[in-house]
Amino acid sequence: MDSIEFRFEAGDANDGSHDDLRTLYTHLAADHELRKHAKVSAPSGPVRPGEMGVAEVVTVVSTVASVGQLAVALQVWREALNRPTTLQLVVPDGHRDNARAVFDALRGAGLPEERHETVIAAAAGSAGVKPTGRIDPANSACVLIGIDSYDDPKLPSLRAVYNNIEQLYDVLTDEDVWGVEPGRIRKVHNPRTPAELIRPIREMSELAADTLIVYYAGHGLKDLDENELYLALPHSVPGELETSVRFKAVMQAIAKSRQAQRVVMIIDCCHSGIAIDGGMSEAVDDIRADADIDDVQGMYFMCATAPNRKALAPSAEKCTVFTGELVDVLREGIPQESELMLSLGVIFREVRRRLKRDSRPVPGELDNNQVGHLPFTRNIARIPQRPPVLLPPSPRPRVLRSPVFAAGIVIGIVLGLGVPPGIDRVRELRAVPVPAGGQCSTNATLLSYSDQLDKTEVSGERITGLSALALTGSSEGFALADNEPGRVFPLTLENPDDLHVSAGVGRTLRDTNGVPYSKGIDGEGLVIERGNKTMLVSSEKGPSIRRFDISTGHELEKPIVVPQMLQDPPTGDAQFGRTIESLAATPDGRYLYAGWEAPLSGDSDQRGRNRLRIQRYRGEPGGTYTPDYQYAYETGAGLYLTELAVVGQDRLLALERQYVEGLGNVIQVHDVRLDNAEDVTGDRALADNTADMLVPRTLLFDLRTCPAGSPGQVTARQPQSNPLLDNVEGMAVGPEETAGPEVGTRLLYLITDDNSNSTQVTRLYAFRIRLPA
């Protein structure tokens, strides 16, 4: 058996995290054999707030499949804790292959890939460096770079930048705020050459085992041709970019010299938003290649302005507008936040709120791998204030001991202690709630969501079990219900920025004799054919693909042929109930794609990653479709293929899903490229296929990383790592925008299946996505 040990660093011993560990154990030890070999222990003694308690979960995993399930459980559980959590995996020699799926999940949960071998070595007694559960000042380093004096008159001096560096230094070294030691933070005023700017970053990166923070303030210059950001030096000349420092060069230097698990970039200059938009998103990929690394995952960007806006420095006696607000938030805390620690994401949102309130340039952020969720500085506004020490009065011959006077003192003390919490409460009540929505990744933004269809009725029929979605126009579409009898509901989707959804009377699916299906159909995929007269519905039972008349719901002809090996046993090798979960067609109807949810019996999985088949059909709308090509697709660890959508020639979006009871869902959308992919129609088993035979896929976004807004804005009826999550089964994508401010983007809609369950919700999401180049 594979003996795998996990150590979790949780929060305060009194915050319920150890109960969470025991809950996790219950789910991991789901079968008798596993339970016999598993145990849970928690630390003894109290843990002070802000420190880390340690608990251990030791499990024995008997099969590769269990390793995949364990990976998913750990990944979802870590998110469900809603607090920074360190995971250390120790695997005895000889079992590394079986543990690879767990490593993949841990990497997705925040453990950098370069630490894998260090952790494995720990089984043999090597020390290894454990990551901390917060941005730890004792193991981090910070570089503050500011350029306030310039030679060229076109670049005015920025005395406020000097104040930025000094103020940030003071607040970050303050023990009550962050408390980084002076030897771990360096001020760099007016570097005159690229080497003088970059060298301190390289040197300080050697001290940063946890997080490297790099701050720059000064003039920012923009390369209009390449849409790149340049950092001005004292001798820089506008229009002569060679006299400045290319921001990409700074990032490459960080990538090549970094020791830290995470990098935080804070940029206060004109056009700084380029660092997280447009050209810089492509540059990050270049950095990966140039530096020969795949762990630029742990990075967080905070930028003072949008790509086309200038930063403001109205007063030479104060900080710049952006940094001034940042310093104030760090120094004063956020009263309306109940937590004792503030994360970078929370700090940023408060800075942005203040700047928007004052009609200042709005800053931007980019959070790669949830670095912005880690506790960073103490919330000064929530640190309990020590009551004043009352010195005894000097002895006097006569002391007034009036009961009224004594009562006055007591009332004064009570009021003095009670007013600050009262003020905090008033501020909380007056705070404007932040709705769900915002950037989920560099390529996807959640615009809004709607629960309007949840548990509602149309003409006396309950809308439930929606498992597929298809668009017929910019604001119209259909949703397929997988319960009996099968029905298709027409939908109206208005204003994706503030989604409003309504449904019409459902069309009941009927056989060729006009009789409603009572058994034998489990609709999971939906395609509206060109002309909006007919539709194709795939069923997991059978499996089958049928064509229906949209207006009547009548089946028109015999089902489309499903290749023998893709059918249920004993005819084929598919798993019962896990066959055609997804269906998509090209706009011209030339190609139809059907995706199988789970592996065939001979395809199995690799380290918990399911190897599936996508069958392509060739034909025409309303006509005959015949199988002509088959693709091999590998999901993430423990995930299954749920939906497909066509976004281009030989290009799809793939929706992957998993659910672990008590822990919740994982929902991911991937960009899939089919060009030059091999045909695996003749392969009896995919288990032995090499990796280059799999279609390449790139994560577009993970729904867990989408902002859920203020606490309570979105509710989940069962445990979820993010309240936005539920059982997403349907996906539909609109055409690419060819004009206007959103040119090059698309609208993407997701829909959940509540399975007619009171603990689940029918929810629609609207996203705006931009496909990677």
Side-chain angles (χ1 to χ4, degrees):
M1 286 190 176
D2 306 338
S3 178
I4 301 179
E5 178 180 0
F6 295 88
R7 293 188 178 92
F8 303 89
E9 287 190 358
D12 184 356
N14 297 318
D15 65 3
S17 57
H18 302 143
D19 292 336
D20 291 333
L21 286 171
R22 291 182 177 88
T23 300
L24 172 66
Y25 158 66
T26 300
H27 295 295
L28 297 184
D31 60 75
H32 180 66
E33 281 301 310
L34 189 58
R35 185 171 298 147
K36 283 195 307 184
H37 300 282
K39 65 180 181 179
V40 176
S41 62
S44 59
V47 180
R48 291 176 296 179
E51 295 186 346
M52 294 293 148
V54 178
E56 295 183 357
V57 176
V58 182
T59 68
V60 177
V61 182
S62 58
T63 66
V64 176
S66 296
V67 173
Q69 295 167 4
L70 179 62
V72 174
L74 286 169
Q75 191 176 18
V76 177
W77 173 81
R78 186 183 188 277
E79 299 295 337
L81 273 184
N82 195 26
R83 67 175 64 87
T85 307
T86 294
L87 300 86
Q88 183 178 22
L89 173 62
V90 181
V91 184
D93 240 0
H95 297 291
R96 299 187 183 185
D97 289 341
N98 285 356
R100 186 57 53 185
V102 182
F103 279 138
D104 291 339
L106 295 184
R107 179 178 59 188
L111 184 65
E113 189 174 30
E114 78 268 14
R115 305 196 62 78
H116 291 178
E117 297 306 319
T118 300
V119 176
I120 290 176
S126 300
V129 179
K130 276 200 306 183
T132 63
R134 59 167 289 200
I135 297 179
D136 180 14
N139 292 296
S140 298
C142 187
V143 185
L144 306 177
I145 305 168
I147 302 176
D148 57 79
S149 179
Y150 296 85
D151 301 335
D152 194 292
K154 296 179 182 178
L155 297 176
S157 296
L158 298 171
R159 177 64 183 178
V161 168
Y162 180 89
N163 301 331
N164 289 357
I165 303 301
E166 297 301 316
Q167 293 289 326
L168 277 173
Y169 183 92
D170 290 344
V171 74
L172 292 175
T173 55
D174 188 337
E175 289 288 342
D176 288 336
V177 180
W178 191 40
V180 65
E181 297 176 358
R184 289 183 170 273
I185 184 170
R186 181 179 298 183
K187 296 183 286 186
V188 182
H189 284 294
N190 295 316
R192 300 196 64 83
T193 67
E196 289 180 11
L197 187 148
I198 293 175
R199 188 180 297 116
I201 299 175
R202 293 184 183 274
E203 293 171 354
M204 295 304 289
S205 69
E206 297 177 2
L207 299 177
D210 186 283
T211 302
L212 174 65
I213 299 177
V214 179
Y215 169 91
Y216 170 86
H219 284 298
L221 304 177
K222 182 178 182 180
D223 182 348
L224 297 177
D225 294 330
E226 300 296 332
N227 193 32
E228 283 194 34
L229 177 67
Y230 283 72
L231 308 181
L233 297 170
H235 65 270
S236 293
V237 177
E240 298 178 14
L241 295 176
E242 67 274 12
T243 62
S244 303
V245 179
R246 191 184 185 194
F247 182 71
K248 180 180 175 181
V250 176
M251 294 303 301
Q252 287 172 327
I254 292 173
K256 290 179 179 179
S257 63
R258 65 179 286 200
Q259 305 295 322
Q261 300 173 45
R262 297 172 284 268
V263 174
V264 174
M265 291 291 307
I266 303 175
I267 314 164
D268 189 355
C269 67
C270 298
H271 316 299
S272 56
I274 298 175
I276 59 174
D277 190 26
M280 198 56 209
S281 62
E282 299 174 359
V284 170
D285 290 333
D286 294 340
I287 294 167
R288 292 176 191 243
D290 294 347
D292 192 27
I293 62 172
D294 192 28
D295 64 343
V296 184
Q297 55 181 358
M299 301 195 73
Y300 179 90
F301 289 81
M302 190 183 299
C303 300
T305 70
N308 59 347
R309 294 295 300 274
K310 292 185 177 181
L312 300 181
S315 174
E317 304 304 319
K318 300 179 180 179
C319 295
T320 60
V321 167
F322 170 78
T323 300
E325 292 291 0
L326 175 61
V327 169
D328 287 347
V329 171
L330 294 175
R331 182 172 287 146
E332 300 167 4
I334 307 176
Q336 60 266 32
E337 288 291 331
S338 59
E339 299 294 333
L340 296 178
M341 299 292 292
L342 298 176
S343 66
L344 283 163
V346 170
I347 292 169
F348 169 79
R349 287 190 288 274
E350 176 61 12
V351 171
R352 180 178 60 186
R353 184 190 68 80
R354 296 184 181 192
L355 292 171
K356 290 180 68 175
R357 175 197 63 192
D358 297 335
S359 299
R360 301 294 195 176
V362 178
E365 72 167 346
L366 173 63
D367 187 0
N368 193 308
N369 241 11
Q370 302 191 45
V371 175
H373 290 253
L374 294 174
F376 178 32
T377 60
R378 294 176 180 84
N379 188 359
I380 299 299
R382 284 293 180 179
I383 294 179
Q385 299 296 315
R386 298 183 181 91
V389 178
L390 301 178
L391 298 176
S394 301
R396 294 182 181 178
R398 301 175 63 185
V399 179
L400 180 62
R401 300 186 182 275
S402 166
V404 175
F405 180 77
I409 293 177
V410 173
I411 293 172
I413 293 174
V414 171
L415 289 176
L417 295 176
V419 166
I423 293 175
D424 289 344
R425 181 58 180 161
V426 170
R427 288 175 177 170
E428 289 175 2
L429 292 174
R430 295 175 63 182
V432 178
V434 177
Q439 191 173 42
C440 306
S441 70
T442 55
N443 297 103
T445 298
L446 174 63
L447 301 178
S448 62
Y449 78 98
S450 172
D451 292 348
Q452 290 170 295
L453 296 184
D454 185 49
K455 311 300 185 288
T456 60
E457 294 183 353
V458 176
S459 297
E461 291 184 330
R462 175 69 64 89
I463 299 176
T464 185
L466 303 183
S467 60
L469 185 66
L471 299 179
T472 57
S474 59
S475 59
E476 295 85 28
F478 287 92
L480 171 69
D482 62 1
N483 46 14
E484 298 175 355
R487 287 172 297 168
V488 176
F489 292 92
L491 299 182
T492 300
L493 302 91
E494 299 176 353
N495 188 13
D497 293 310
D498 186 14
L499 190 59
H500 181 82
V501 184
S502 58
V505 177
R507 275 81 154 168
T508 301
L509 299 182
R510 304 169 184 268
D511 63 21
T512 53
N513 296 319
V515 178
Y517 290 99
S518 58
K519 293 183 179 180
I521 191 167
D522 180 9
E524 298 291 347
L526 176 66
V527 167
I528 305 299
E529 296 192 280
R530 191 173 61 185
N532 297 339
K533 301 293 185 181
T534 57
M535 59 185 171
L536 299 174
V537 174
S538 65
S539 172
E540 282 192 321
K541 292 182 180 179
S544 65
I545 304 174
R546 295 177 167 93
R547 176 175 283 117
F548 296 87
D549 181 277
I550 291 179
S551 62
T552 65
H554 288 198
E555 186 176 353
L556 296 177
E557 55 201 29
K558 292 182 179 180
I560 295 173
V561 174
V562 173
Q564 181 175 338
M565 70 181 304
L566 300 179
Q567 297 178 22
D568 286 336
T571 305
D573 299 324
Q575 298 184 32
F576 281 111
R578 288 199 160 183
T579 57
I580 310 178
E581 184 76 16
S582 52
L583 196 67
T586 55
D588 59 6
R590 182 181 180 187
Y591 293 111
L592 179 70
Y593 298 92
W596 265 245
E597 180 182 14
L600 304 183
S601 58
D603 292 341
S604 188
D605 65 274
Q606 294 294 311
R607 306 181 305 275
R609 296 173 175 269
N610 291 305
R611 290 198 168 180
L612 319 169
R613 296 181 187 242
I614 298 175
Q615 177 66 58
R616 189 180 75 179
Y617 292 83
R618 184 165 183 165
E620 59 183 22
T624 302
Y625 280 99
T626 57
D628 82 326
Y629 212 90
Q630 206 172 98
Y631 303 94
Y633 182 93
E634 186 176 85
T635 69
L639 300 177
Y640 295 89
L641 180 61
T642 304
E643 189 60 285
L644 295 171
V646 175
V647 290
Q649 183 70 26
D650 295 324
R651 193 170 190 177
L652 307 174
L653 294 184
L655 174 66
E656 297 183 16
R657 177 198 58 180
Q658 174 60 294
Y659 174 74
V660 177
E661 185 175 357
L663 300 176
N665 291 94
V666 177
I667 305 295
Q668 296 178 350
V669 176
H670 294 263
D671 176 29
V672 182
R673 306 300 292 262
L674 302 179
D675 43 329
N676 301 320
E678 295 193 36
D679 184 2
V680 297
T681 301
D683 295 357
R684 293 300 305 171
L686 300 180
D688 299 327
N689 285 19
T690 56
D692 59 355
M693 297 183 68
L694 305 170
V695 294
R697 59 191 254 288
T698 303
L699 179 65
L700 200 64
F701 70 93
D702 188 321
L703 189 54
R704 291 173 299 175
T705 64
C706 295
S710 302
Q713 287 292 295
V714 187
T715 58
R717 297 175 185 167
Q718 55 185 334
Q720 295 284 1
S721 60
N722 183 328
L724 284 167
L725 286 165
D726 211 283
N727 182 40
V728 177
E729 288 203 10
M731 175 173 63
V733 64
E736 184 177 1
E737 301 283 354
T738 58
E742 307 297 345
V743 62
T745 67
R746 299 169 182 263
L747 285 175
L748 173 71
Y749 294 94
L750 301 181
I751 193 168
T752 64
D753 179 356
D754 71 345
N755 291 307
S756 302
N757 192 328
S758 62
T759 63
Q760 293 178 283
V761 63
T762 299
R763 176 171 293 164
L764 271 83
Y765 312 79
F767 299 84
R768 187 163 293 282
I769 63 170
R770 184 184 298 273
L771 298 180

